[in-house]
Amino acid sequence: MEKNKEKVTAGVKEIARLGKVSIATVDRVIHNRGGVSKKTKAKIQSIIEKLNYQPNVLAQRLALTSRGTIRLAVLLPAISEETEFWQAPLDGAKQALDEIKQYGIHIEQFLFDQNDQKSFSKQVKNLIKFKADGILFTPTFPEESTKLIERAEKTGTPYVLINADIPQTDTLCYIGAEIFSSGYIAAQLVHYCIDEKKKVLVANIAAEIDNNYAILRKEEGFMNYFKDNNLPNEVLSFKTTQTSYSSVSKRLSGLIKKQNDIGAILVTNSRVSVVAKYLESAGLKDIILLGYDFINENITYLKKGFIDFLICEKPQEQGYRGIMALFQYLVFSKPMEKKYFMPIDIITKENYQFYRN
Amino acid sequence: MEKNKEKVTAGVKEIARLGKVSIATVDRVIHNRGGVSKKTKAKIQSIIEKLNYQPNVLAQRLALTSRGTIRLAVLLPAISEETEFWQAPLDGAKQALDEIKQYGIHIEQFLFDQNDQKSFSKQVKNLIKFKADGILFTPTFPEESTKLIERAEKTGTPYVLINADIPQTDTLCYIGAEIFSSGYIAAQLVHYCIDEKKKVLVANIAAEIDNNYAILRKEEGFMNYFKDNNLPNEVLSFKTTQTSYSSVSKRLSGLIKKQNDIGAILVTNSRVSVVAKYLESAGLKDIILLGYDFINENITYLKKGFIDFLICEKPQEQGYRGIMALFQYLVFSKPMEKKYFMPIDIITKENYQFYRN
DNA sequence: CTGAAAGCGCTTACAG
DNA sequence: CTGAAAGCGCTTACAG
């Protein structure tokens, strides 16, 4: 390999030489640590600017290695029979950990039952006992989450919300989709796929609905598309807190028998596979079915042709970015972005095999 | 911040201590550099395994900083009036450079006119003169590209192809979409959006078509979807090497007057905005229009509703990943993936604002 | 075949 | 307010 020997960037040493000071002083100026005379500070700053100095991140990190472990807490729903969705953010967090564990990062998991508020509260308590340096979580239960946030702000602990934000709250950092849009675009797809005379069914299948901001907001986005575009399609609503297949299929079949002109069904969360299973058993191939999340059961029905579109928001990347944001913030004081909106991906039978969660 | 002082991972020093050798010897064993007695080597290896030693990448890189500059060459089409598409991979390469320039990486650009084979050949010559340590390029002209590859393989220079592969050639590393699928999925969308009685038009608008593998392969994918699914839609073909608006619009309007039942048009590359402009001027709002690439002109017509779907394959990320792969390969001997398929993204009016190229 | 020492660019006690 | 020195974990001449 042919190589040059010239330096690409000047370092603290060079700045110190030009400024006729020690590198310790240069470091003080760079990081505004104080204890430097105005005159020296100005001189060094001007040199830094002239040289367009860029710190060597490698060396920075290396020098900090000995500082001890940083403890991050992850508070997310456990995966359940109902859905494996939450595996993805956890995988993302682990992937991040692999990249940064060398720098003394430790992650502790606090998993709760997403249908049980008490289990959430309990894990919040454990988390507080753990005294994390940073927190990654999803606000499944808004009230308890708000308490956690208040506590974190009091102790100055940085935190990142993923997957869903808390409405009307000024959270430190949210990484996830703009949920309204994520419902809105589902409606656009329906609009492309069905006739104006057909009816549309919105199905909310979750143990907890009224308190579930993500579901409500998605539905809102969905309905608004029809309003905004003056579409004449009749939109029906279907809600159930009984998420088992037997219960859902029974209620669905009753509804579909009454309403004969349903052209499309949107399931507002990852439980779309339950509906797909019903459509398969009932032989209803012509209804366009849309839902959320790239999980195995859903992919199965996507392949079979019973699910037509899955909308996904890279949950794994959300976990990954969340941990990385905390890391960068804690180690390099890098400010966190208030809102980092993930892309809203459209997955079909023909592109799912290339998708990266 | 609460912190632990315990080490997460043992380093070479600890291994040296346990093995009663110097760290230089440990290093020799780790990297198989030779010059170590069998006995010592075995001893050290067993310690390394027992400790599950993971090298500190930071320190590795830092120690290599002084080794001099690595020179990477980027060979891509220049952006032109015709299309700004190639800005994205270049931006990606620059983004990668920002992250790694501290480690002595230099990038030289060789831009050519994608409608002029001679300009490609000329830049290949310049590139060879440059004596790059690694090459990132797109094989716009397959024959010349093959020559470049042969030369690179002879000199042992690693190279990465982006955006399009060379068919039937065993290239070292390809980063981009599976192009056939990228046409196939366009057909799926058409299938969802139009009636069986409607006709479909495939438009190839490019100065060079017969030699353009990407366009041909996309069209193949598109046609195959209709075949595979026994769709009755008549598929018409439209080809022109005159890419200007005046020429395209004239020919299109002639064709559309003759064929009155066109329900959808697919443009096989980024020139879809030209067709959109025509549809706008002709007031043809009901024709579904699909094309490729997230570029400004296309987004404009997406917003206006004349383009319905854009299919994108993250060109910026392709450039980014390409440079990173070369960097990792040259600096850390990390083997390159033979094929890294990008996701095939579907962009509409309602999700484009969250897209990350 | 092996080791002592210098260096990568930064941060951090510590001394003055 | 300022500087000399040690250290982060690794690599690399150089000496033996």
Side-chain angles (χ1 to χ4, degrees), chain B residues 70-112:
Chain B
I70 292 178
R71 297 143 56 86
L72 302 182
V74 168
L75 174 68
L76 294 175
I79 63 164
S80 60
E81 296 224 333
E82 212 180 340
T83 172
E84 77 196 40
F85 174 77
W86 292 99
Q87 187 59 46
L90 219 49
D91 287 346
K94 275 180 198 152
Q95 188 198 332
L97 181 63
D98 272 344
E99 290 182 21
I100 59 179
K101 66 182 170 203
Q102 296 170 314
Y103 320 135
I105 308 293
H106 172 80
I107 293 185
E108 190 81 22
Q109 295 177 13
F110 299 89
L111 304 182
F112 58 88

Side-chain angles (χ1 to χ4, degrees), chain B residues 135-231:
Chain B
I135 305 167
L136 174 79
F137 76 109
T138 192
T140 304
F141 300 98
E143 264 185 56
E144 279 68 22
S145 299
T146 305
K147 278 183 209 154
L148 176 60
I149 288 175
E150 278 165 10
R151 190 174 170 104
E153 299 203 322
K154 211 184 293 170
T155 59
T157 313
Y159 60 91
V160 172
L161 276 76
I162 62 168
N163 202 58
D165 207 352
I166 302 185
Q168 276 105 36
T169 302
D170 184 44
T171 50
L172 185 61
C173 172
Y174 167 63
I175 298 177
E178 214 290 88
I179 300 176
F180 181 87
S181 297
S182 152
Y184 203 84
I185 193 167
Q188 190 198 17
L189 292 172
V190 168
H191 177 36
Y192 272 121
C193 293
I194 68 167
D195 194 282
E196 296 198 334
K197 287 163 232 148
K198 294 272 188 176
K199 291 174 190 161
V200 179
L201 179 65
V202 180
N204 292 325
I205 305 170
E208 178 73 67
I209 295 178
D210 297 338
N211 203 15
N212 191 322
Y213 171 67
I215 284 185
L216 300 176
R217 185 77 177 146
K218 263 183 225 168
E219 184 169 11
E220 206 183 323
F222 189 81
M223 305 303 274
N224 267 67
Y225 182 91
F226 284 88
K227 249 185 259 163
D228 292 352
N229 293 282
N230 296 314
L231 301 183

Side-chain angles (χ1 to χ4, degrees), chain B residues 7 11-12 27 31 53 56 59-60:
Chain B
K7 281 273 163 105
V12 282
D27 186 73
H31 298 287
Y53 167 72
N56 183 319
Q60 281 185 317

Side-chain angles (χ1 to χ4, degrees), chain A residues 61-264:
Chain A
R61 293 193 202 177
L62 188 59
L64 291 171
T65 300
S66 54
R67 278 224 256 166
T69 307
I70 292 178
R71 297 143 55 85
L72 302 183
V74 168
L75 174 68
L76 293 175
I79 62 165
S80 61
E81 294 224 334
E82 211 181 339
T83 172
E84 77 195 41
F85 175 77
W86 291 99
Q87 188 59 46
L90 219 49
D91 287 345
K94 275 181 198 151
Q95 187 197 333
L97 181 63
D98 272 343
E99 290 181 21
I100 58 178
K101 64 182 170 202
Q102 297 170 315
Y103 319 134
I105 308 294
H106 172 80
I107 293 184
E108 190 81 22
Q109 295 177 13
F110 299 89
L111 304 183
F112 59 89
D113 176 351
Q114 66 175 323
N115 296 325
D116 178 8
Q117 180 162 335
K118 274 186 200 146
S119 101
F120 184 83
S121 298
K122 197 179 131 205
Q123 289 295 41
V124 167
K125 265 186 206 136
N126 290 336
L127 192 158
I128 289 172
K129 223 181 290 163
F130 175 70
K131 293 203 178 147
D133 297 312
I135 306 168
L136 175 79
F137 76 109
T138 191
T140 303
F141 300 98
E143 264 185 56
E144 279 68 22
S145 299
T146 304
K147 279 183 209 154
L148 177 59
I149 288 176
E150 279 164 10
R151 189 172 172 107
E153 299 201 323
K154 212 184 292 171
T155 59
T157 312
Y159 59 91
V160 173
L161 277 75
I162 62 169
N163 201 59
D165 208 352
I166 301 184
Q168 275 105 35
T169 302
D170 184 43
T171 50
L172 186 62
C173 172
Y174 167 63
I175 299 178
E178 214 291 87
I179 300 177
F180 182 87
S181 297
S182 152
Y184 204 83
I185 192 166
Q188 189 198 19
L189 292 172
V190 168
H191 176 35
Y192 273 121
C193 293
I194 67 166
D195 193 281
E196 297 198 332
K197 286 163 233 147
K198 295 272 189 175
K199 292 175 190 159
V200 179
L201 179 65
V202 180
N204 292 326
I205 306 169
E208 178 74 66
I209 294 179
D210 296 339
N211 202 15
N212 192 322
Y213 170 66
I215 284 186
L216 299 176
R217 185 78 177 143
K218 264 183 224 167
E219 184 169 10
E220 205 184 324
F222 189 82
M223 305 303 273
N224 267 65
Y225 182 90
F226 283 90
K227 250 184 259 163
D228 292 352
N229 294 282
N230 296 314
L231 301 183
N233 305 278
E234 187 180 338
V235 183
L236 310 167
S237 185
F238 171 90
K239 284 192 211 306
T240 179
T241 53
Q242 305 296 318
T243 63
S244 73
Y245 172 66
S246 65
S247 156
V248 171
S249 63
K250 207 189 292 172
R251 292 204 40 198
L252 259 185
S253 84
L255 195 148
I256 287 180
K257 260 173 213 148
K258 260 195 287 181
Q259 308 282 353
N260 53 352
D261 251 358
I262 293 181

